[in-house]
Amino acid sequence: MAISEGNLDKPKIQVDNLCLWYGSFQALKSINACFRDRIITAIIGPSGCGKSTLLRVFNRMNDLVEGVRTSGKVLIEDISISDNNIDLVSLRKKVGMVFQRPNPFPLSIYENIVFGPRIHGSMNKSELDEIVEESLKSVLLWDELKSKLDNPALSLSLEQKQRLCIARLIAVKSDILLMDEPCSALDPYATARIEELMRELKNRYTIIIVTHNMQQAARISDEAGFMLLGELIEFGATENIFTRPTNKLTEDYITGRYG
Amino acid sequence: MRNPKRAEKIAFFFLFLATLLIVVPVGLIVVIIIQKGSPAINWQFLTDIPRQGMRAGGILPAIVGTVYLVLGAIIFALPIGVLSAVYLSEYAKDNFLTRIIKLAIINLAGVPSVVYGLFGLALFVVFFRFGASILSGSLTLGIMILPIIITTSREALESVPYSFREVSRSLGASKWQSISSIVLPNAISGILTGTILGLGRAAGETAPILFTVAAFYLPQLPSSIFHQAMALPYHLYVISTQVPNVDEKIRYGTALVLLALVLFMNLVAIIIRYKFRKKKKW
């Protein structure tokens, strides 16, 4: 995934005219957007606006739901991911997801991190040890946990669990991180620490975060999109969205008139 | 009842009483069987063949027969039961076929055990020509305990949080990888609970083995799965009703051995379950 400095502005993910239906309900309406590499893009909007659904398009997690149909195009590094015959395993390796509730497996810390690499076929103990160290270092947990790798992951604090979930993605060498309200189960202090981590990670990863915490979006994102009732109302630099939105609906939401 | 504190006390009393009433018969059964049966238990009783028209000697062939039958039933029913539970809870869509299968399982659970016996006679003994044999008996018992294993396994699988499957899939694992590496290991203690229940039932039933395997009297141990075998519940029936003048302590001794055998098998399953639970890092 070596991307030269020159094409940082090239879109990592490009969405063209994307529509999505759950049965007869249309959850996404003609979405057009570009998500750039190595920045944090936030998607904001009220509950039920389709922001999580949009996020789940990028790693095809919507496939797990019955009766989902999509139309339009989604390109990740110029490769269409909407085809039926794309390799979902490598797509999901590349595009990792952090969920709302920290959800480590009921295994040891070590086993949680090597779960992905094992699934994808690396079995060598020293290789796995290295992956564990590297992944935990990336999420700044190594020093705290290096002597407790065999402890149950469920004994960790919520914040540590969420970091562990991020480490689990780093272990499979994802380069796009989808975060679905990753801090909504955390207290403000833990939230601040996870945000710090996200800033750290954005030098190496493309991060897309869904949040209904507008302060959070303003604090950490470089670009932001505002969604309402399945439509992407406005998309652009975070500063512009929050200081001079062009759309009346965005302005109403930002200023807290609804949502 | 105006006084809520008094109402609470009365409710507590009746709820506790109802629960206590369950303990009484269980306790009495165990106490009576131990009291009347333990004088019969000695080394010869456990290791010798029956002698003097089953009025003396031991019950070894019946013990061995029951162990074979239970193991056979589990070997047959556990994999089929677990695999079909996985299919039903993880793969099956809600359609006509699935509903038929679920209905069949419910009906299978409701069939009286003597009907299993007749079914086993018709299918395994006669049609497949296995004869009255350990194989026929094990398969018949296996079919009888299938619904128990399927139902408890399904419950165990469905109690594994959906998020485990979701995360696993999001990390690129296939459906089967998610099931085999995350869902099944987390469901295993529930599955073993079902197995324990099935095991106890297979060991204790008389009717399904009556026509399919049970021998009235065999002076030697079975040496092949195509041989007939004695079994503890049937032996108990025989010495209680078919053979006159059997000493009471031999009958109760046989019952005690049957009880102890089931308990011992359960204990093994419980230990395995405990090991799995310890491995699980909650």
Side-chain angles (χ1 to χ4, degrees), chain A residues 56 59 61 64 66 89 92-93 97 99 103-108 115 119-120 150 152 154 168-169, chain B residues 93-94 162-174 177-178 181-182 186 279-282:
Chain A
R56 281 158 180 260
N59 64 350
M61 283 298 278
L64 301 189
E66 252 175 82
V89 171
R92 288 183 183 149
K93 262 172 83 173
M97 186 158 217
F99 296 81
N103 49 11
F105 296 123
L107 302 167
S108 68
F115 178 83
I119 289 283
H120 303 304
D150 286 328
L154 297 181
R168 209 160 47 179
L169 301 179
Chain B
K93 297 201 168 80
D94 188 26
Y162 179 72
S163 74
F164 291 1
R165 298 170 175 84
E166 198 177 35
V167 185
S168 171
R169 297 298 294 280
S170 83
L171 286 166
S174 68
Q177 280 175 322
S178 305
S181 56
I182 285 295
N186 277 292
K279 244 173 85 185
K280 202 155 94 171
K281 306 261 182 170
W282 285 111

